[in-house]
Amino acid sequence: MDTDIKCLSCGETIRGRKGKKFCDVYCKSSYQYQQKKDKSPDFYSKVDKQLKTNRKLLREYNKAGKSTVRADILLNQGFDPKFFTHYWKNKKGDVYLFVYEFGFIKRQENTRDKFVLIKWQSYMG
């Protein structure tokens, strides 16, 4: 009852118990890694990646605690304003969207879209 079962990872003939799929733990690990890598990223990975990109850009363009940046500059570098972690509403009713500790609000100045960038302050909490 000798059947030639091949390892799913390397294709070598498997020796051992019936039903075995891999020749060793390294092939099993390699196969599972490749399967995960070949899959399209799941929803949470996409969201996490976009939040990290947004935070990086907001931090990069807001070194002083408050600044204004043209919207096209951020958008061309991969910023997506639909991805944020929380919001804060000031006394005037303006709603700032935050990506962790960095916030933004879209404004229009001289027919140009801009983002006003701020950093989270203790009084906002």
Side-chain angles (χ1 to χ4, degrees):
M1 197 144 155
D2 192 23
T3 58
D4 286 342
I5 299 172
K6 303 288 183 189
C7 174
L8 293 177
S9 181
C10 69
E12 293 291 318
T13 302
I14 298 175
R15 299 191 196 319
R17 68 173 172 78
K18 186 178 174 183
K20 199 171 174 185
K21 296 180 181 180
F22 305 98
C23 55
D24 58 31
V25 294
Y26 302 107
C27 278
K28 182 178 180 180
S29 178
S30 172
Y31 180 83
Q32 289 172 341
Y33 173 77
Q34 196 60 44
Q35 291 295 312
K36 188 173 182 176
K37 188 176 151 191
D38 291 345
K39 273 187 180 178
S40 62
D42 64 345
F43 175 75
Y44 298 105
S45 297
K46 289 178 185 177
V47 170
D48 187 51
K49 183 178 179 184
Q50 186 61 56
L51 286 172
K52 286 177 181 177
T53 300
N54 284 0
R55 183 182 180 277
K56 179 182 149 224
L57 290 168
L58 291 173
R59 184 184 72 222
E60 184 178 319
Y61 284 98
N62 186 13
K63 299 210 185 275
K66 184 174 182 181
S67 62
T68 304
V69 181
R70 287 195 339 246
D72 61 329
I73 291 173
L74 287 177
L75 297 173
N76 288 338
Q77 293 185 33
F79 183 77
D80 189 342
K82 294 180 290 195
F83 289 83
F84 57 93
T85 57
H86 60 287
Y87 66 93
W88 172 71
K89 190 181 213 180
N90 69 10
K91 291 179 182 177
K92 291 191 252 177
D94 298 327
V95 177
Y96 286 83
L97 304 176
F98 278 82
V99 181
Y100 304 107
E101 74 272 32
F102 297 101
F104 63 94
I105 189 168
K106 194 170 188 176
R107 297 273 188 224
Q108 194 168 41
E109 292 179 15
N110 302 327
T111 68
R112 288 200 138 172
D113 288 334
K114 297 184 178 187
F115 286 111
V116 176
L117 311 181
I118 62 172
K119 195 167 180 185
W120 185 263
Q121 303 295 317
S122 59
Y123 68 85
M124 296 175 177

